[in-house]
């Protein structure tokens, strides 16, 4: 369904489970950044009422996820660490078109968001089916469903507002790029690491 070119090795879940404090902190910051991305889309596309309404809902939901993860960190007696650099996301940013028209930049931002949501969904599935901690396995299963919904929303808006842009071709380029990129990841206690 997600179209990802390379699946995460299930053994990544063992790395994540080996340092739950780190993976949960990284995850919380990912949720905060996802909320910020939805707000960014609102600020830069305020003339699109359907997008503004939907992004408002997503921003709220992502901050609710942030709170849920933060609550788990506190309940388990972990320390909520500082924001982590997300090299995977930074590499995706570099793939966004440079010197693009406003419309091209908008579509690429939506595809960028769809890509992150797709990989997050896939990683949450790996966690939900491979970690021994049953509370977190259920938690990640529930979040997997949410991330899949976000992925389809961003892709749907890209298709709706593509205009003359060949969004299917560009999405295939994103999938190919990400398929190569992800080969360098999967060995750290990070959602995208």
């Amino acid at each position: 369904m997600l179209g990802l070119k390379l699946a995460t090795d299930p053994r990544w879940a063992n790395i994540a489970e080996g340092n739950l404090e780190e993976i949960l902190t990284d995850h919380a910051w990912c949720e905060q950044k996802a909320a910020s991305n939805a707000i960014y889309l609102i600020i830069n596309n305020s003339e699109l009422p359907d997008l503004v309404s939907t992004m408002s809902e997503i921003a709220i939901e992502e901050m609710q996820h942030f709170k849920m993860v933060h609550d788990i960190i506190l309940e388990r007696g972990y320390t909520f660490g500082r924001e982590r650099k997300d090299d995977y996301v930074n590499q995706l940013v570099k793939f966004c078109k440079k010197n693009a028209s406003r419309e091209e930049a908008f579509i690429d931002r939506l595809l960028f968001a769809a890509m992150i949501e797709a990989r997050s969904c896939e990683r949450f599935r790996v966690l939900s089916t491979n970690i021994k901690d049953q509370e977190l396995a259920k938690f990640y299963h529930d979040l997997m469903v949410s991330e899949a919904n976000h992925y389809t929303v961003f892709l749907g808006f890209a298709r709706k507002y593509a205009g003359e842009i060949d969004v299917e071709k560009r999405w295939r380029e994103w999938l190919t790029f990400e398929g190569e990129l992800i080969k360098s990841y999967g060995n750290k206690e990070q959602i995208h690491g």
Side-chain angles (χ1 to χ4, degrees), residues 14-59:
N14 298 330
I15 295 169
E17 195 164 29
N19 191 344
L20 291 176
E21 183 172 19
E22 181 63 26
I23 194 77
L24 288 166
T25 290
D26 183 68
H27 177 191
W29 286 113
C30 288
E31 298 292 354
Q32 180 274 321
K33 291 171 193 170
S36 295
N37 183 64
I39 292 167
Y40 173 90
L41 285 163
I42 291 168
I43 292 167
N44 289 282
N45 303 282
S46 58
E47 73 281 6
L48 304 174
D50 59 338
L51 180 116
V52 170
S53 293
T54 302
M55 290 302 117
S56 297
E57 293 168 3
I58 287 177

Side-chain angles (χ1 to χ4, degrees), residues 5-190:
K5 300 292 185 188
L6 183 66
T8 297
D9 186 325
R11 291 176 292 185
W12 167 77
N14 298 330
I15 295 169
E17 195 164 29
N19 191 344
L20 291 176
E21 183 172 19
E22 181 63 26
I23 194 77
L24 288 166
T25 290
D26 183 68
H27 177 191
W29 286 113
C30 288
E31 298 292 354
Q32 180 274 321
K33 291 171 193 170
S36 295
N37 183 64
I39 292 167
Y40 173 90
L41 285 163
I42 291 168
I43 292 167
N44 289 282
N45 303 282
S46 58
E47 73 281 6
L48 304 174
D50 59 338
L51 180 116
V52 170
S53 293
T54 302
M55 290 302 117
S56 297
E57 293 168 3
I58 287 177
I60 291 166
E61 185 177 354
E62 298 289 15
M63 284 311 296
Q64 288 170 338
H65 293 169
F66 172 88
K67 183 176 181 340
M68 291 163 66
V69 178
H70 186 254
D71 287 348
I72 291 170
I73 290 168
L74 296 179
E75 288 165 7
R76 291 178 176 226
Y78 297 151
T79 300
F80 179 50
R82 307 278 306 165
E83 180 182 1
R84 272 48 173 170
K85 177 183 171 195
D86 193 329
D87 188 61
Y88 167 84
V89 170
N90 291 335
Q91 293 301 316
L92 291 180
V93 167
K94 291 178 184 176
F95 187 69
C96 289
K97 289 189 175 189
K98 307 298 179 261
N99 302 316
S101 68
R102 183 177 188 274
E103 292 76 19
E104 288 174 318
F106 173 47
I107 297 305
D108 244 24
R109 186 65 180 224
L110 290 166
L111 295 177
F112 160 81
M115 189 80 263
I116 293 169
E117 297 288 349
R119 182 55 70 184
S120 297
C121 174
E122 191 262 355
R123 287 284 172 99
F124 291 167
R125 184 195 60 75
V126 171
L127 286 172
S128 72
T129 57
N130 291 286
I131 61 175
K132 296 175 184 74
D133 186 312
Q134 290 306 301
E135 177 189 358
L136 286 180
K138 181 183 181 332
F139 177 69
Y140 279 111
H141 178 270
D142 294 344
L143 287 186
M144 173 189 69
V145 174
S146 176
E147 298 299 311
N149 179 52
H150 294 172
Y151 152 78
T152 60
V153 165
F154 286 116
L155 202 50
F157 275 123
R159 289 173 173 147
K160 178 176 182 176
Y161 290 111
E164 299 298 314
I165 298 167
D166 186 345
V167 74
E168 301 307 323
K169 177 178 181 271
R170 185 61 178 152
W171 181 237
R172 287 191 300 273
E173 292 169 358
W174 272 98
L175 289 168
T176 299
F177 175 79
E178 198 273 349
E180 288 300 311
L181 175 65
I182 201 66
K183 290 178 182 178
S184 301
Y185 297 89
N187 56 7
K188 294 182 183 171
E189 311 92 341
Q190 297 173 328

